[in-house]
Structure formats: C-alpha cells, structure tokens
Amino acid sequence: MATATNAATALIAPAPTLANRQQSALSVSAVQTNISESNGQEVKQVDNNSKSASPKPSNMPKITTTMLNKMETGSKSEKRVYKIVLTGGPCGGKTTGQSRLCTFFENLGWKVFRVPESATVLLSGGVKFSDLTDIEDPPTPTTYVYKDLPFAAPEHSLIDLTASCPRCLANAASKPNGSEAYKFQENLIRTMVQIENTYFELGNSSTRNCLIICDRGVMDASAYISKDKWEKMMGANKWNPVEMRDNRYNQILHLVSAANGAEEFYSTEDHACRSEGVDLARELDYKSAAAWVGHPYFDVIDNSTDFETKMNRMIESVCQKLGIDTGDRLQATSRKLKFLVATLPVDSEFPPFQDFDVVHHYLQSGGPKVQARLRKRGQKNHWSYIHTQRRPNVHGQARIEVKTQLNHRDYMNRLAQRDEAHFPIYKKRRCFLINNQYFQLDIYKEPCHPRCKGLVLLETYSSLSGEALKNCMPKFLNIVKEVTGDPKFSMFNLSLREDWTTSKKFCSSSTHANGKATNGVSKAPLELNGH
C-alpha cells in the first residue's frame, strides 16, 4: 500500500524544481538584456472576440533597454521557473493570451514553454464517446436526436461533433454506464500530468529564467464531472487538491468568456453567436473558474475593458506576482482591496467555497523597510509553503513583493529565523467566487493578540471603483467599510506583540498590490454600510 501511495503521489506532484530549493527571495530575478528579434512584432494569432473588439494592430507593450535597466535590482539572482495555467470559458482569449505572454517574456530574455491541452491531443486521435459506453447501436448523424444521446453537450447537432469535446466525455463519464469514459477521463489526467512534467523538467534544466504556460490544468477536469465521481477518482489515485491545485502551479489566470460581459464579440468556429450558445458558454466559464477556487494566486481577468487592455492586465498580473517592475509600460488596472466585515454569516449564506488553515510567521529582516514572512496554507493536513519578501526597489519609491514556493524542509529551516517581536497569525481563509469576482475572507483565530479576536477581513483584486465595485460585492456580508491602506488592518501591525502607541516597529504606511505606497487610509475608500 505504501508503494502504491508513493507512486501516486509522485505522479501528481510537480516535478522537483530548482526554484523550490533556492534561497533567492531577497531579490527580483535579473532580466537578461538580449532582446529577441521578435520585439515589437504584431502577434498574428487572434481570438474571435478580439477581431471586433480591437481592429487596430496589437499595442502590446514594447520592451526597451530603459525598461530592462529599470527592472534590474543590482544583484544577480538565481534562475526562476514559473508555472502558470490559462483557463476560462470558450472565446475568452486563451490562444491570444498565450501568444502575448510568450512574446512579452521572450523579449525579456526568458525561455517560454507552452504546454498543449492534453484533451485536444488525445481526442483528436479518433476517440468517439459512443465507443466508450455500453449503449447498443449508437445513433448515426442521420438518425441522431439529442434526447437519444444523453451524454452529448446540448449545443451539438450531430454525433460526430462530440468526437473531440472534453465536455461530452465528462458527461459520458458521469452516466451509470460510463465506466469506460470514466477510465478514459482518469487516464487523460494522468497523461496531462506526464506531459506537464516533461515541460517542467525542461524548465528546470534551462539556463535562463523560464515561464511555462499550461493550456488548462489538472483541476479543469473537475469542472465537468460529478463531485462524487471526482472524489472517487482522487481517492483511487491517492490524489489531493493541495498538490493538484496549489503546489503544482504558481499562478492561475482565468480569462472570462466573451459570453460574460462582451456578448457582442462572442462567436465560435462552428456557429455564430446565438442565445443558447452564449448561455452554455457562461455556464462553462463559471464551472472552469469554480474548479480553481482556493488556489492562493488565482486571478480573474474579466471583460470590464477592451480586449487589448484585457491582455495587458493579464501580463501585468503575472509581472506583479513575479515582482517584475514594468514601469509605465503596463497601466496599473487592478489593485488589492480590503474590507472590514462585522460578523461571519452561516455557511449556507455563501456560494460554493473552499476553506483553508493558514499560519503566518514574520521573519527577522535586513532593515526597517524590509518585511519577510512565511505562510503555511493547507487542507486536511496537506500543505503548501510560501516565502514572501517585501522591500523597496532600487529607486526607493515603489515596493516590490517577491514570492518563492518552498518545500517543507526549507520552510522549517526558515522558520528558525522568525521574529519574536511578532505573534504568529492563525486564520481560516474562505475562498469563493461571486458576481464574476474572486474573494478571500480571512477569519482570525486564537491564539492571537486581543486586537485580532473576532476580526474578519475580506480581500479582492479589482479595477472597478464606485458603484461598479459596490454592485459586485457580496450582498450577504455585513461590510462595515473599506480599510485598504489603513495601517490598523495591516497584518504586519496586527501581529506586533508590543502596544502600537509605544512600538517603534509599528508601520504607518501600507502597500497596495500595485506597489504604490500610501500613508494611512487609502484615498476615497468605498463605504458599504448596510451590505
């Protein structure tokens, strides 16, 4: 049994990365200055919704020597391998987004690998779902009636169209007679893991910083299969969601379908925009987002802007997580927002959610302007570990936040450097998706300083403001006020053992996610009393 468990864990666990063993969080990766010849060239791949949304040539930011010099930190850091997943509903911009990310990071001197979608690779080999069930005499295109083929997606008018549709496979696997389809779905995930691990190993052996872009990831399979079948599959293979979702990938980017907020640009290759196609696309978009709820770095890139700006926001999100300062080349469109919540509602008031146990430890740092901390985050005794370093950049104005994924051994080694001037912070973190917006609710737990007892804080990233932001907030939460930038709600200050009025370590400024430092409460906070 132990051998089987170890083998299953080895299969789903990410390939060991050099980045996980590095102690290089003290500086942002130095960007190589050998700009590729493709710098500034127009990207030729265009998604359907981009054709109408942006008739002009691509205005993706061009990389200049000045920009590269600005991103240098003054000390060369070790190589980085960064793994992201592009997911989302149909016609959301995944194909174009992959090309834009590839061009942008290649121009910075990074090596970029693009992992193909495994379902497309396997299902293009001739698999037909009628062959994977116990149905006798499956219907043909001439005799096909939708109600006679219960596992087909409703937008398909002919059985042949189901031959390369992962959605139909998942539906077939959920049927009582779908044992073969279930097994194929299981093997599909295993194949995806092996293909991804091949690229992960290539990234580890690269001599340059490496970005690995996965066209969907293993958790996407859970969006189109019943919960009991998914749990059965995970149990049989000794898989767990912390390894599959949190530890395997560094960041998840959900590109919202044009069917949700940009309907006039929604189309598919098989048919023009129609009401049932849009409705189905919205449903699939929500399911694919819900599959990744709980990942610590999950960004929803919606359609609140035009398509070109949407692509820039996507690139900006990756750069923020990597700690790359892009200057004014990418407009800061999304900012981290924090709200004080009066009380915690009962669980039944929430949409589907994921709960995590979270422990933060602040570490001894190299100076008063530097903050370093460890985070341990997990479910059912499965954990992921992150080291975060906040410090001013070389210009001394904007602040850079660098995150490094750790293994358990490195986490324990760094834990010995904890700063005894701070209490550990214990939280229950509840993650959920509502109104196409991703939220994290932090519920502080004991043992803690008295100032943290009963504290509930809601966080989200958004480019919205005013009424637009107010309308997308969870109505079932009693939100007292916005506290973005308020030092009284900074986790660094909340964890201090000393009294704030006498402590010399109290930090009077807070840093937004976009790196702009502010003193005191953020300008024009959103008042949400009564919600």
Side-chain angles (χ1 to χ4, degrees), residues 94-110:
K94 293 187 293 297
T95 301
T96 302
Q98 192 175 101
S99 296
R100 299 288 177 88
L101 280 167
C102 183
T103 301
F104 186 88
F105 277 87
E106 283 180 345
N107 289 346
L108 294 182
W110 285 54

Side-chain angles (χ1 to χ4, degrees), residues 102 128 147 155 204 238 293 365 399 476 482 488 495:
C102 183
K128 290 185 181 291
K147 65 181 180 180
E155 78 274 24
N204 294 339
K238 302 298 187 293
V293 166
S365 58
R399 298 186 71 181
F476 59 89
E482 181 184 351
K488 295 190 297 295
S495 66

Side-chain angles (χ1 to χ4, degrees), residues 265-276:
F265 302 120
Y266 177 75
S267 64
T268 68
E269 184 179 350
D270 295 327
H271 58 266
C273 178
R274 59 188 183 188
S275 58
E276 63 267 30

Side-chain angles (χ1 to χ4, degrees), residues 136-242:
E136 296 181 1
D137 300 323
T140 66
T142 56
T143 62
Y144 167 71
V145 178
Y146 170 68
K147 65 181 180 180
D148 295 329
L149 193 60
F151 56 80
E155 78 274 24
H156 292 141
S157 57
L158 295 175
I159 186 174
D160 282 355
L161 295 181
T162 69
S164 59
C165 176
R167 195 157 55 255
C168 295
L169 171 63
N171 290 340
S174 298
K175 300 302 175 183
N177 61 349
S179 58
E180 290 184 351
Y182 171 88
K183 195 65 180 177
F184 185 82
Q185 182 87 345
E186 185 176 44
N187 286 328
L188 181 65
I189 295 174
R190 290 175 171 271
T191 302
M192 182 186 299
V193 168
Q194 295 291 4
I195 291 175
E196 288 178 352
N197 282 351
T198 298
Y199 284 92
F200 294 168
E201 288 291 349
L202 287 171
N204 294 339
S205 61
S206 174
T207 58
R208 292 184 281 166
N209 288 331
C210 186
L211 178 71
I212 302 175
I213 308 171
C214 300
D215 188 345
R216 301 193 182 276
V218 292
M219 290 302 293
D220 278 291
S222 68
Y224 308 118
I225 191 170
S226 63
K227 184 178 180 181
D228 59 330
K229 294 280 187 179
W230 177 251
E231 291 180 349
K232 174 185 175 183
M233 189 181 296
M234 286 205 299
N237 290 278
K238 302 298 187 293
W239 296 337
N240 71 80
V242 172

Side-chain angles (χ1 to χ4, degrees), residues 38 101 103 181 200 240 350 356 445 472:
S38 62
L101 280 167
T103 301
F200 294 168
N240 71 80
F350 285 84
F356 298 86
K445 303 191 321 185
C472 80

Side-chain angles (χ1 to χ4, degrees), residues 353-372:
F353 60 84
Q354 293 282 339
D355 278 349
F356 298 86
D357 295 315
V358 180
V359 183
H360 290 277
H361 288 276
Y362 278 91
L363 306 180
Q364 300 172 24
S365 58
K369 295 182 179 181
V370 178
Q371 293 181 9

Side-chain angles (χ1 to χ4, degrees), residues 315-329:
I315 298 171
E316 175 197 2
S317 177
V318 178
C319 290
Q320 284 179 351
K321 297 299 189 299
L322 280 166
I324 295 176
D325 180 11
T326 58
D328 58 0
R329 297 290 168 173

